[in-house]
């Protein structure tokens, strides 16, 4: 029992790394079910007609790219198939670089910059910047990421406010995030919103989906994996799902093992306290 | 195995950071300081780019002189570092707090208050009825003005259970997220760096 309580921390991490690396090197192929939430996101994006304007918020950074980037790549592949126009923005300082990388690693690399898509870079200010963006897109993002006037690009012609946008997709692990787009954009302009959030923020974003302020959310790596399957382009997220499932199993086993001594210890302590409370010790009733 | 210098640096720094699970060591410290320094440097460059594109260029190139106001307010923030005139920094802070509060409250009333309440009280399916019951039960757990007695006392107890389920779900998804981050690093090491993962 005591051994279970004193497993060195380093050993637990080592076992975890082995459990994670194993299926990455030799995939098992645990089936992935497509959830209704992810299918809703797919259907919403699939309903866009060619030429629709989509604002894509790259509101994540390298620190959380492992969870967020697969979502962005899978959705961008779908958007490329739909032949819509994508306006990349960011309210996160490292977002523009993530946008550059995402456009370069998807079908968008073969499309024309400034005509089919654009990267407008980063604007500081959090929720206030989101409000300013909704009210005046070319004014808030007056230049693209390289510093050229945004109004000089064909894609920006006719885009003034959020009302001129058919859909906003934000991939955001924190703030500004989906809540800020709901507060500052949906309330006034009723622009359709799709969000990609990390697993930890699913419960936070779900009420907005229930209230239909957000049309759908992708949650964490499983959301990305399901979307990769829907667009028939399995990538890093699908490859990671075996590892994630096994890691969860390991954590459940560790929690159970760690609590067995506590469970029996509590039982023994209770028995001890009962025996101490009786005047004659054990068997005092007789 | 990658021949890209940047991938090698990223790989070695990843190992240095992960080495902290074994124990505190100089490699971890070097990587930690690199991370903090590069992040700070990047943030300063992006912040300046933001000020330049949003305010300085329109002021100097397009003659939009109104941008002098936020630029001066921004500079006044640094008054707090000078004894005697540090009180001046309160003005830009007041403007920032005022604008921030105004923007947040106006958005929250619609987005977080009226629309959320109307969506919660609209019951049609079993799920929506359960949602309404659980919301009321959870709120009742934080009702301290009067002690609920009799059959009503079970409502906050139900709220407590609902909150525990919600916290459990949040814990589970947090673990899932952290695993995803670790998987991302292992994918990078095995795939991009060592090239042993297909």
């Amino acid at each position: 029992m005591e051994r279970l309580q004193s497993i060195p921390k380093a050993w637990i991490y080592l076992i975890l790394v082995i459990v994670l690396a194993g299926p990455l090197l030799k995939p098992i192929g645990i089936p992935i079910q497509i959830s209704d939430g992810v299918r809703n996101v797919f259907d919403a994006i699939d309903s866009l007609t060619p030429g629709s304007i989509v604002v894509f918020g790259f509101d994540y950074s390298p620190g959380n790219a492992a969870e967020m980037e697969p979502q962005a790549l899978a959705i961008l592949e779908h958007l490329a198939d739909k032949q819509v126009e994508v306006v990349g923005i960011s309210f996160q300082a490292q977002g523009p670089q993530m946008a550059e990388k995402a456009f370069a690693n998807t079908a968008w690399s073969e499309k024309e910059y400034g005509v089919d898509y654009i990267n407008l870079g980063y604007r500081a200010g959090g929720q206030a910047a989101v409000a300013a963006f909704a009210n005046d897109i070319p004014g808030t993002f007056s230049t693209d990421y390289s510093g050229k006037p945004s109004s000089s690009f064909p894609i920006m012609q006719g885009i003034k406010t959020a009302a001129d946008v058919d859909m906003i997709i934000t991939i955001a692990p924190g703030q500004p995030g989906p809540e800020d787009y709901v507060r500052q954009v949906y309330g006034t302009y009723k622009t359709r919103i799709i969000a990609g959030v990390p697993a930890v923020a699913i419960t936070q974003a779900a009420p907005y989906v229930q209230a239909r302020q957000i049309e759908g959310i992708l949650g964490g790596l499983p959301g990305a994996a399901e979307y990769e399957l829907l667009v028939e382009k399995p990538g890093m997220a699908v490859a990671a799902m075996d590892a994630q499932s096994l890691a969860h199993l390991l954590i459940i086993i560790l929690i159970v093992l760690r609590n067995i001594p506590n469970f029996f210890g509590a039982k023994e302590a209770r028995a001890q306290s009962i025996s101490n409370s009786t005047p004659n010790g054990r068997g005092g009733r007789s | 195995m990658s021949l890209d210098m940047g991938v090698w640096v990223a790989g070695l720094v990843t190992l240095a950071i992960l080495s902290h699970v074994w124990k505190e060591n100089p490699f971890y410290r070097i990587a930690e300081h690199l991370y903090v320094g590069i992040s700070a440097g990047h943030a300063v460059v992006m912040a300046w780019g933001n000020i330049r594109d949003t305010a300085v260029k329109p002021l100097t190139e397009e003659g939009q002189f109104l941008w002098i106001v936020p630029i001066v307010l921004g500079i006044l923030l640094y008054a707090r570092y000078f004894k005697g005139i540090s009180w001046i920094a309160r003005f830009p802070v007041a403007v920032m707090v005022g604008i921030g509060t105004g923007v947040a409250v106006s958005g929250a009333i619609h987005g977080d208050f009226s629309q959320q309440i109307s969506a919660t009280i609209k019951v049609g399916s079993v799920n929506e009825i359960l949602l309404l019951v659980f919301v009321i039960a959870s709120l009742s757990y934080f009702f301290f003005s009067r002690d609920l007695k009799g059959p009503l006392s079970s409502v906050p107890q139900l709220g407590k259970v609902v909150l525990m389920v919600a916290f459990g779900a949040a814990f589970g998804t947090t673990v899932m997220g952290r695993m995803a981050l670790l998987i991302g690093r292992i994918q990078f090491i095995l795939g991009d760096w060592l090239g042993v993962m297909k």
Side-chain angles (χ1 to χ4, degrees):
Chain A
M1 289 291 182
E2 281 175 11
R3 275 189 181 177
L4 285 175
Q5 287 187 305
S6 56
I7 301 172
K9 203 169 65 173
W11 280 101
I12 292 175
Y13 286 123
L14 183 66
I15 295 167
L16 182 62
V17 167
I18 293 167
V19 165
L20 290 176
L24 288 174
L25 292 169
K26 199 169 170 51
I28 306 165
I30 298 171
I32 299 169
Q33 300 287 333
I34 310 292
S35 62
D36 290 343
V38 174
R39 196 170 287 280
N40 286 344
V41 174
F42 180 85
D43 290 343
I45 293 175
D46 213 47
S47 69
L48 293 168
T49 52
S52 300
I53 302 289
V54 175
V55 166
F56 201 109
F58 293 89
D59 299 316
Y60 61 96
S61 63
N64 35 53
E67 214 178 355
M68 311 310 295
E69 195 171 47
Q71 295 181 356
L73 298 183
I75 293 178
L76 280 173
E77 292 288 7
H78 193 190
L79 292 172
D81 279 352
K82 296 302 296 179
Q83 296 181 338
V84 298
E85 294 173 11
V86 171
V87 177
I89 60 168
S90 182
F91 296 108
Q92 154 72 245
Q94 290 152 324
Q97 288 96 324
M98 305 313 295
E100 292 285 292
K101 194 178 164 198
F103 284 129
N105 290 329
T106 53
W108 289 94
S109 60
E110 291 157 19
K111 294 190 180 252
E112 194 177 346
Y113 184 81
V115 177
D116 299 317
Y117 72 101
I118 193 168
N119 179 8
L120 292 181
Y122 157 71
R123 284 295 170 268
Q127 196 178 157
V130 177
F133 148 80
N135 190 41
D136 180 8
I137 297 173
T140 308
F141 289 91
S142 54
T143 59
D144 79 336
Y145 181 43
S146 64
K148 290 179 188 156
S150 58
S151 56
S152 65
F153 294 97
I155 190 174
M156 294 303 290
Q157 306 310 314
I159 302 177
K160 300 289 175 213
T161 69
D164 302 319
V165 172
D166 295 295
M167 182 180 277
I168 292 174
I169 300 170
T170 172
I171 307 294
Q175 289 195 323
E179 302 95 327
D180 300 295
Y181 285 95
V182 167
R183 287 169 195 149
Q184 302 303 334
V185 181
Y186 183 80
T188 311
Y189 301 95
K190 296 282 180 268
T191 311
R192 301 168 74 187
I193 298 173
I194 294 287
V197 296
V200 68
I202 295 172
T203 48
Q204 207 178 319
Y208 297 102
V209 181
Q210 189 265 338
R212 295 186 178 84
Q213 294 162 299
I214 295 177
E215 274 194 53
I217 52 169
L218 288 191
L221 208 51
E226 291 168 35
Y227 209 89
E228 284 178 358
L229 290 179
L230 281 172
V231 294
E232 296 173 351
K233 284 182 180 154
M236 297 297 267
V238 168
M241 284 317 292
D242 282 348
Q244 183 142 53
S245 300
L246 288 189
H248 290 172
L249 189 63
L250 174 69
I251 287 166
I252 291 168
I253 291 169
L254 286 172
I255 289 172
V256 170
L257 285 178
R258 181 61 182 80
N259 278 282
I260 286 173
N262 287 353
F263 178 75
F264 285 107
K267 257 187 154 180
E268 280 170 21
R270 205 178 303 125
Q272 188 73 35
S273 98
I274 290 168
S275 69
N276 287 346
S277 64
T278 52
N280 300 320
R282 277 180 189 277
R285 273 187 186 182
S286 63
Chain B
M1 190 176 280
S2 174
L3 297 174
D4 187 331
M5 188 70 175
V7 173
W8 270 83
V9 171
L12 291 172
V13 169
T14 300
L15 291 183
I17 289 286
L18 291 178
S19 71
H20 188 256
V21 302
W22 173 54
K23 69 174 188 179
E24 174 89 25
N25 63 76
F27 298 110
Y28 168 75
R29 273 302 174 100
I30 291 168
E32 185 188 31
H33 289 128
L34 267 176
Y35 177 76
V36 173
I38 291 169
S39 299
H42 183 268
V44 169
V45 170
M46 293 304 287
W48 165 245
N50 196 69
I51 295 165
R52 182 196 58 202
D53 294 343
T54 312
V56 177
K57 270 188 181 175
L59 172 70
T60 55
E61 293 175 11
E62 296 161 29
Q64 297 179 17
F65 294 107
L66 208 59
W67 284 107
I68 289 175
V69 177
I71 290 172
V72 169
L73 282 171
I75 291 167
L76 290 182
L77 273 174
Y78 294 95
R80 63 181 300 179
Y81 295 113
F82 301 97
K83 259 188 178 174
I85 58 163
S86 61
W87 57 272
I88 295 174
R90 289 178 197 158
F91 289 103
V93 169
V95 171
M96 277 164 38
V97 170
I99 291 173
T101 308
V103 168
V105 169
S106 63
I109 286 172
H110 197 69
D112 290 336
F113 206 67
S114 61
Q115 287 188 340
Q116 282 293 316
I117 291 174
S118 63
T120 305
I121 59 176
K122 195 182 77 184
V123 288
S125 64
V126 176
N127 267 348
E128 286 167 348
I129 294 167
L130 284 175
L131 179 74
L132 179 63
V133 171
F134 290 161
V135 167
I136 292 169
S138 301
L139 289 174
S140 74
Y141 182 72
F142 297 98
F143 181 73
F144 304 120
S145 301
R146 185 174 289 182
D147 200 15
L148 296 175
K149 287 175 183 166
L152 274 181
S153 65
S154 59
V155 180
Q157 287 305 313
L158 173 65
K160 192 171 147 186
V161 173
V162 173
L163 288 170
M164 289 301 146
V165 171
F167 295 150
F171 174 72
T173 52
T174 303
V175 170
M176 199 198 307
R178 299 298 178 261
M179 284 305 120
L181 299 183
L182 185 55
I183 289 168
R185 283 296 82 200
I186 295 174
Q187 278 180 325
F188 174 79
I189 290 171
L190 297 178
D192 297 6
W193 187 24
L194 301 177
V196 293
M197 198 186 92
K198 288 186 180 175

